[in-house]
Amino acid sequence: MSSETTTKIPEAAAVPPPGATTPQRRFPQGHQRLLTRRDRLTLGLMAGLPTILHVALVWVTALASILLAFTTWDGIGFDSIKWVGLHNFTELFTNNPQFWPAVEHNIVWFVALILIPTPLGLFLAVQLDKNIRFSRVYQTAFFLPVVMSLAVIGFVWQLIYNPDTGLINSLIGANEPGHYIDWIGDPDLNLWAILIAASWRHTGYMMILYLAGLKGVDPSLREASALDGANEWQTFKNVIFPTLRPTNTVVLVVTIIEALRAFDLVFVFNKGAEGTELLSILVTNNIIGESSRIGYGSAIAVVLLVISLAVIIPYLIATFRKERQA
Amino acid sequence: MHLSSLGQSLPDTSRRTVLRGLGGAALLGAGIPLLGACGGSSSGASDTKTVTVGSNASDAVPKKGYADVYAAFTKQSGVAVDINTKDHNTFQEQINTYLQGTPDDVFQWFAGYRMQFFAAKGLASPIDDVWKTIGGNFPSAMHDLSKGQDGKYYLVPLTTSPWAVFYRKSVFQQYGYEVPTTWDAYIALCKRMKKDGLVPIAYGDKDAWPAMGSFDQINFRLNGYDFHVELMAGRASWTDAKVRKVFDTWAETLPYHQEGAVGRTWQDAAQTLVAKKAGMYMLGMFVAQQFTDKADLDDLDFFAFPEIDPAYGQDTVEAPTDGIMLSKKPQNRAGSVKLLEFLGTAEAEEIYLKADPSLIAASTKADTSGYSALQKKGYEMISQAKHLTQFMDRDSRPDFTSTVMQPALQKFIRDPKGIDSLLSSIERQKKTIFASS
């Protein structure tokens, strides 16, 4: 709004009608009162500081890591940065035994979250939406894991999975030599073991999202479908679920983000050892430490960035298109 | 813009200002020059009566030990010591940025390649003058451990402790086992233990570093100390038949190791030895920390890893050593030298070990009369060793050991098939990493 007034003013001031005392002539004075020097300073600070912080912390770092992805650097002195072109990437794609498993596990993470906790969360939400008795108790119980940090969840589930002293192996006697189940170390098992822990949390998250969506469904729709003689499943399939479309979009985006940023749970669980490699963990392992491979780690981060953009850009385009149509 | 010049151009920068900023700067490599620019205004602590120490001794026991040592130094010399303790792991992760900023006058660190790496980067000062005074207190192996690749001294060693095969005396007595000194006897003992219903060798590699110790032991018993050094320095090839033989020998013992090692921490593995379910455990002497009951601890004993090739016998002992280094541009050099000279005396080590009895003094002059039986035996083993190694991640580039060797060894102990492709993958990755700087 104010930008419109400010853009108009210079024109008005630039060609003042000679000798006239029209209201237009006093307009600039009014403008001066509107935005004093102090106001401009305040506005400048309010808009400028966040911009500087945003540019420095988001854009500069992102661009810096993209640039660093084409170099080798041990993090000691800027003179040790060496340009190596695409070497880090060829190295990554052809020579790193953990890279492709990590990509695969990120994808598995996404598919598993969509296939297991999402329908489960929807199911729970539908049940809770019926205002059954103790509805709030169930709601709290299922949502509780979402409140906890993933790192804490990692510690809790380790107590369950610990192959020697954990709950499962102690109960089924699988901590004896001969019929030993190594939930944490066996690459055929550990990813799934962690995914169960992740799903445990994700279910509550999905439940709350769907519950919010269901609260927004017009009750007259249900009535109408009941009058038409539809049973509960038919009502859900043909009436309720289609109205949840916006919620489904949010769920999809949230789940993709969860799959891409998966890190803390695995890091606490077994630091991304055999079978649980993830891109985020490879980035950390290469960059953090006393003599780090910052260029190489950045290359992995760039791969993660490209994957994220490939997912996010189509979503944003679709969202904006919808907004413009509306 | 060069970081290395940061400290030199701003000698008066207040250390705390920069340190506080460094946490953020670690995230933002590019932000460091900004920091340098705004640090110049502060007045600085050019107080020559104080020496500042960067310490990674954040656990209660070592923290108290070092505090006692520094207090004794202040009492003796009148120079105050300002200890700046950081969480042990955080200290290691930030060592890069810490040393490039305005570090404390002296800082605690590890012997071996890890010390040489920072020395070669010019992030530490040589201390040959200190060693002129303290040299006589240390055996020749400790002299070698304290030198950089340029042959100058960079470290004053304080404490050490050996890696060996630990067992319980009562278990060996009960079944009539004898300490094996040769490889054949070792394998025969494993077989007997298995028959007796014991887990012959307790094992846990969840933290990914214990397996490096197993590799080191077999490697220097089979190929000797010199090959260990060549291999760790990236000069020898991992596809060499000698390395292949290490893995073959190791694979021979894997059936006698505790199942599911990759999912088990060393602490849990040690508990099976405490519970007498396992017969032996090859680890560092810190395994004693898991023996919280005094009677159990007295029952704990160890023997040197058995001989494999008689040409090398048992002449090499893996004994990670911790010590203290002088930063690149100390504010109080005279006081720091005094402190380092004090830390190189037997007296300082005795004070430390009084508080922390799980380690051994690096100096041969230190009084061993207060040692436990275990400490005495460890001391003997180290002082008689011809060569001391540190540990794979202290003898080689840490970026190589953590990103390549840790996952590779985990893969191997879980599934020892396919050694050749594993080794060629290690060698390919090694070449890139060692070529990078």
Side-chain angles (χ1 to χ4, degrees):
Chain A
M1 276 191 301
S2 59
S3 68
E4 247 172 66
T5 35
T6 43
T7 47
K8 270 182 191 165
I9 286 140
E11 288 170 38
V15 276
T21 48
T22 46
Q24 285 107 310
R25 218 195 143 187
R26 251 177 280 153
F27 202 47
Q29 288 170 351
H31 159 67
Q32 272 178 351
R33 236 175 284 129
L34 204 68
L35 271 180
T36 61
R37 181 186 285 258
R38 212 178 131 183
D39 288 341
R40 258 178 286 163
L41 196 72
T42 318
L43 273 178
L45 276 178
M46 281 169 68
L49 267 186
T51 312
I52 291 173
L53 282 177
H54 177 80
V55 168
L57 296 176
V58 178
W59 287 100
V60 172
T61 41
L63 289 175
S65 47
I66 292 175
L67 283 180
L68 283 174
F70 300 97
T71 65
T72 67
W73 186 30
D74 58 13
I76 299 179
F78 287 122
D79 45 359
S80 67
I81 302 182
K82 262 183 254 156
W83 191 261
V84 292
L86 287 171
H87 183 257
N88 284 335
F89 291 96
T90 48
E91 184 73 6
L92 194 57
F93 295 146
T94 59
N95 219 350
N96 186 323
Q98 286 134 320
F99 176 72
W100 290 112
V103 173
E104 189 193 314
H105 295 153
N106 272 93
I107 296 170
V108 168
W109 198 281
F110 169 72
V111 173
L113 285 189
I114 279 290
L115 289 185
I116 304 157
T118 308
L120 205 60
L122 177 60
F123 174 77
L124 292 175
V126 170
Q127 301 310 310
L128 289 174
D129 194 42
K130 288 178 190 158
N131 286 326
I132 47 173
R133 228 207 286 200
F134 307 124
S135 167
R136 263 162 211 260
V137 177
Y138 293 130
Q139 212 169 304
T140 316
F142 292 129
F143 191 64
L144 214 54
V146 187
V147 180
M148 274 200 267
S149 133
L150 274 171
V152 175
I153 292 175
F155 285 120
V156 171
W157 280 82
Q158 265 198 83
L159 299 177
I160 295 171
Y161 284 127
N162 185 308
D164 294 316
T165 53
L167 180 72
I168 301 178
N169 277 7
S170 302
L171 281 180
I172 62 175
N175 50 5
E176 298 296 322
H179 35 94
Y180 192 85
I181 303 179
D182 187 3
W183 299 103
I184 298 174
D186 187 338
D188 298 329
L189 287 176
N190 51 15
L191 184 66
W192 302 106
I194 295 178
L195 276 171
I196 288 175
S199 302
W200 177 67
R201 177 180 186 269
H202 202 67
T203 303
Y205 196 2
M206 296 297 102
M207 179 196 76
I208 285 290
L209 287 179
Y210 277 120
L211 207 53
L214 286 170
K215 296 286 180 210
V217 175
D218 190 347
S220 60
L221 281 176
R222 286 175 207 269
E223 261 172 58
S225 79
L227 285 177
D228 284 346
N231 65 25
E232 207 172 335
W233 169 242
Q234 283 169 326
T235 311
F236 176 76
K237 201 180 103 190
N238 300 322
V239 180
I240 312 286
F241 193 71
T243 60
L244 287 176
R245 238 196 109 182
T247 314
N248 282 329
T249 319
V250 173
V251 162
L252 189 69
V253 172
V254 163
T255 308
I256 290 171
I257 292 173
E258 287 283 315
L260 287 175
R261 73 170 183 192
F263 172 77
D264 14 22
L265 190 58
V266 175
F267 196 75
V268 168
F269 201 74
N270 67 0
K271 297 208 170 67
E274 265 251 284
T276 59
E277 296 94 340
L278 289 173
L279 287 172
S280 53
I281 289 194
L282 291 189
V283 174
T284 317
N285 285 349
N286 280 289
I287 287 188
I288 304 267
E290 52 188 88
S291 89
S292 26
R293 306 172 69 187
I294 292 181
Y296 193 61
S298 300
I300 308 172
V302 166
V303 171
L304 190 57
L305 180 74
V306 168
I307 297 175
S308 310
L309 289 179
V311 174
I312 288 164
I313 288 177
Y315 166 72
L316 286 180
I317 290 175
T319 316
F320 284 131
R321 194 177 289 151
K322 231 178 279 162
E323 261 176 28
R324 225 171 288 141
Q325 282 165 356
Chain B
M1 285 298 281
H2 296 311
L3 261 182
S4 46
S5 68
L6 181 74
Q8 284 152 17
S9 58
L10 300 161
D12 283 337
T13 305
S14 156
R15 174 175 33 88
R16 281 181 205 285
T17 328
V18 176
L19 262 187
R20 215 176 292 139
L22 272 180
L27 295 167
L28 244 176
I32 295 172
L34 286 172
L35 255 174
C38 62
S41 58
S42 43
S43 56
S46 47
D47 173 10
T48 50
K49 285 263 148 55
T50 307
V51 175
T52 59
V53 179
S55 169
N56 60 358
S58 54
D59 290 342
V61 171
K63 193 174 178 178
K64 163 127 194 343
Y66 283 114
D68 291 349
V69 174
Y70 297 135
F73 169 70
T74 305
K75 208 171 157 196
Q76 190 205 61
S77 65
V79 178
V81 178
D82 182 6
I83 310 169
N84 177 9
T85 308
K86 234 191 271 179
D87 170 68
H88 192 82
N89 290 323
T90 315
F91 189 89
Q92 262 141 270
E93 277 162 14
Q94 296 180 347
I95 187 79
N96 244 337
T97 32
Y98 169 71
L99 291 181
Q100 291 179 71
T102 316
D104 299 288
D105 294 342
V106 297
F107 60 97
Q108 284 168 331
W109 198 238
F110 313 109
Y113 191 97
R114 273 170 129 168
M115 170 267 292
Q116 296 177 335
F117 178 80
F118 292 110
K121 293 274 175 187
L123 294 174
S125 305
I127 47 169
D128 290 0
D129 47 344
V130 173
W131 272 85
K132 265 184 203 133
T133 321
I134 64 172
N137 296 341
F138 293 97
S140 71
M142 282 292 166
H143 280 251
D144 294 342
L145 279 181
S146 307
K147 281 182 201 163
Q149 282 150 338
D150 56 1
K152 290 179 184 156
Y153 291 94
Y154 284 95
L155 178 105
V156 175
L158 278 171
T159 55
T160 183
S161 69
W163 276 58
V165 184
F166 289 80
Y167 66 95
R168 297 195 57 155
K169 284 181 266 189
S170 60
V171 172
F172 270 49
Q173 235 158 33
Q174 185 189 336
Y175 294 99
Y177 299 146
E178 265 167 47
V179 166
T181 50
T182 64
W183 189 251
D184 291 339
Y186 183 59
I187 297 290
L189 180 59
C190 287
K191 280 185 183 149
R192 263 186 76 188
M193 285 181 171
K194 203 166 187 176
K195 224 177 259 166
D196 292 334
L198 290 169
V199 173
I201 305 168
Y203 211 42
D205 193 43
K206 185 161 179 257
D207 299 309
W209 51 261
M212 295 183 188
S214 308
F215 176 86
D216 286 350
Q217 300 288 332
I218 300 174
N219 185 31
F220 53 63
R221 288 283 180 269
L222 197 61
N223 301 318
Y225 172 78
D226 294 332
F227 185 74
H228 167 84
V229 173
E230 290 295 297
L231 188 65
M232 292 299 124
R235 290 188 290 268
S237 164
W238 284 83
T239 48
D240 192 315
K242 286 179 170 178
V243 181
R244 169 75 213 231
K245 195 148 184 238
V246 173
F247 281 92
D248 285 341
T249 312
W250 193 358
E252 195 188 333
T253 65
L254 279 178
Y256 307 112
H257 281 66
Q258 195 169 3
E259 238 181 301
V262 180
R264 186 182 298 108
T265 60
W266 72 263
Q267 289 95 336
D268 282 344
Q271 283 305 319
T272 48
L273 188 68
V274 175
K276 300 188 181 183
K277 282 183 191 159
M280 300 178 277
Y281 192 13
M282 206 287 292
L283 205 73
M285 211 166 93
F286 52 82
V287 73
Q289 291 167 10
Q290 291 295 309
F291 288 69
T292 42
D293 190 284
K294 176 84 173 61
D296 287 339
L297 185 59
D298 290 341
D299 194 31
L300 183 67
D301 202 351
F302 66 85
F303 58 86
F305 197 77
E307 167 190 307
I308 302 178
D309 184 338
Y312 304 109
Q314 295 174 313
D315 64 357
T316 305
V317 173
E318 183 133 270
T321 303
D322 293 352
I324 195 146
M325 296 172 74
L326 183 62
S327 64
K328 63 174 188 289
K329 192 97 182 166
Q331 298 195 348
N332 181 359
R333 197 174 200 285
S336 303
V337 167
K338 249 189 224 171
L339 175 63
L340 291 174
E341 283 173 356
F342 176 75
L343 293 172
T345 62
E347 186 193 347
E349 295 184 9
E350 284 161 20
I351 297 170
Y352 178 79
L353 291 172
K354 220 170 263 169
D356 183 2
S358 71
L359 297 171
I360 292 166
S363 162
T364 36
K365 291 271 165 68
D367 179 19
T368 55
S369 60
Y371 277 5
S372 68
L374 210 63
Q375 275 175 305
K376 274 188 186 140
K377 203 167 170 183
Y379 173 82
E380 286 289 297
M381 199 168 148
I382 287 177
S383 51
Q384 282 165 15
K386 216 180 205 171
H387 308 286
L388 294 181
T389 56
Q390 290 304 285
F391 195 72
M392 189 186 283
D393 68 3
R394 295 179 180 214
D395 279 340
S396 185
R397 288 180 64 115
D399 48 1
F400 167 66
T401 55
S402 66
T403 62
V404 179
M405 289 315 295
Q406 288 191 351
L409 294 184
Q410 278 192 334
K411 196 182 176 83
F412 167 76
I413 55 177
R414 205 194 52 74
D415 179 19
K417 278 174 239 111
I419 298 172
D420 285 321
S421 68
L422 188 72
L423 290 180
S424 52
S425 165
I426 293 175
E427 177 63 16
R428 276 201 309 273
Q429 294 181 76
K430 181 209 87 179
K431 275 188 183 140
T432 356
I433 292 179
F434 278 81
S436 68
S437 64

